[in-house]
Structures are given as structure tokens and as C-alpha cells.
Amino acid sequence: MPRKTATARRAEVLEETLTQIRALGMAAVRVADVAEASGVSPALIIYHFGTKENLLSEALVHACAQDLSTLDSIVAGPGSPAARLLAALDWYAPSGPARGWTIWIDAWSVALRDNTLSRVLTDLQRRWIDAIAAVIDDGVTAGLFPLVDSVAVAGRLTSYLDGLAVRSVVHRSRPPRRELRSGIIRQLAWELSVDPAVLADP
């Protein structure tokens, strides 16, 4: 059997870290547990990641990589700005397939006392906001939306969906997908000062 590359081994460790986070919670994960489940020594994990905090942060980035790649494809893809904007928000929303919301909410809690994780979360959130703001700017350029502070609008929209995610995960009260979509359209129409009909995608 060929020897695994360092990149492959690193990805395995990050995947196992995510498994441990889902099972135990981010605060309870130990390097020793990840090492044992991954079949490597704790010293090797510390060699590659430095600290437990770095390991958790890189695991979170690893978990978000595919969703961010999909988001980039949505915002740069075909369709009107309104259609792409709704698709991006659908992807972000707690009823959609994007991200492991349980991990994100867990990470928010741990980040209150972990500066490394807090910085990573801030960077990841900024990437979501910038991508959504870019589509809003496309709509402004096309004359579909009025001139707005797109970053501020994207920040408020993602905060709205973050709140719904907390309710969905913590309180187990998830609105039906159709109701959630209607709420997104109403909120977006209010933020952009447009008729909701303008946002109806094909």
C-alpha cells in the first residue's frame, strides 16, 4: 500500500477532528482523542498544527471550504442578480444544505474565550458577506436594485439567517422551507427598497 502524503494525512486528521467536534462538542475535544482515532501520535498533530486551538480553527476552515467554493460558483454563475442573490441566501439559510450549523454555533460559543478561533470565524463570515455583497452590487450595476451599502445589507441579511439557525439548532424550531424563503424575500425587499416581485427568480 502506498504511503499517504502529508496532505492526505492532514485532511484525515481534520476530518476526524470534525467527527470529534460533532460527537463531543468543540470545547471537549482533546488532541489525544483525535490522534488515537486518526492512528497518529499526539506529538505529530502538535507538530503539524502547533496547538489545539489551531487544530480546531483549521478544522472549521476545512469544514467550510466546500460550501464557500459552492457559494463562489453561485455568485459567479449564470442568471440574473436577483436569482443568484436568492440562490446564495438559500445556500446560506439553515434549511439549506450549506455548512454544519451545529459546528458553527458551537464555534461561536468557544470563540468567546478563544482569540484564534474568533479571528477565523470573523474571516469566514467576511467571505460570506463579501460574496453576497458582490451580487447585490451586480444588481445595482444592472439597474435592478437602488444604490445601497451592499456590505452592510449583506451583513444584516446573514445576521438574520444566523439568528434563524440558532433557533433551528438550539430550540429545534425550524420554519418550513417555503416560509423561510418568503421571509428571506420580504427581508431582502425591505433592505433593497424594491418590490418583492422583482426578486422572484425564474
Side-chain angles (χ1 to χ4, degrees):
M1 177 181 294
R3 186 176 181 179
K4 292 180 180 176
T5 65
T7 300
R9 176 62 76 183
R10 187 182 186 88
E12 285 186 355
V13 169
L14 292 174
E15 286 291 341
E16 185 54 46
T17 303
L18 292 171
T19 298
Q20 296 289 326
I21 290 172
R22 294 184 186 102
L24 304 174
M26 192 168 279
V29 170
R30 301 187 311 160
V31 170
D33 295 330
V34 175
E36 181 179 0
S38 302
V40 299
S41 69
L44 184 63
I45 291 181
I46 294 301
Y47 173 78
H48 282 291
F49 296 95
T51 64
K52 172 186 168 180
E53 290 75 19
N54 287 340
L55 173 64
L56 295 177
S57 296
E58 292 203 36
L60 182 62
V61 172
H62 181 73
C64 295
Q66 183 58 54
D67 285 324
L68 286 168
S69 176
T70 300
L71 178 68
D72 289 342
S73 296
I74 290 171
V75 301
S80 71
R84 288 184 283 125
L85 182 55
L86 281 172
L89 293 174
D90 276 342
W91 181 254
Y92 189 100
S95 66
R99 303 190 304 174
W101 276 106
T102 300
I103 292 177
W104 266 83
I105 293 170
D106 195 0
W108 287 337
S109 176
V110 174
L112 291 173
R113 297 169 183 84
D114 183 334
N115 290 333
T116 299
L117 191 59
S118 178
R119 287 192 295 270
V120 169
L121 281 168
T122 299
D123 179 63
L124 290 171
Q125 190 72 21
R126 174 55 57 189
R127 291 178 65 186
W128 282 93
I129 289 172
D130 286 348
I132 292 170
V135 188
I136 295 174
D137 288 337
D138 285 348
V140 172
T141 300
L144 184 64
F145 307 145
L147 182 64
V148 294
D149 183 340
S150 59
V151 172
V153 170
R156 288 192 293 269
L157 288 169
T158 53
S159 294
Y160 165 73
L161 293 174
D162 288 345
L164 288 177
V166 172
R167 190 181 75 177
S168 297
V169 174
V170 177
H171 303 294
R172 307 194 185 284
S173 175
R174 176 172 295 182
R177 187 174 181 82
R178 180 175 296 180
E179 179 184 324
L180 180 59
R181 163 56 84 89
S182 297
I184 291 172
I185 290 176
R186 286 195 303 271
Q187 189 72 18
L188 188 53
W190 183 83
E191 285 282 0
L192 297 175
S193 299
V194 298
D195 190 308
V198 172
L199 302 169
D201 54 329

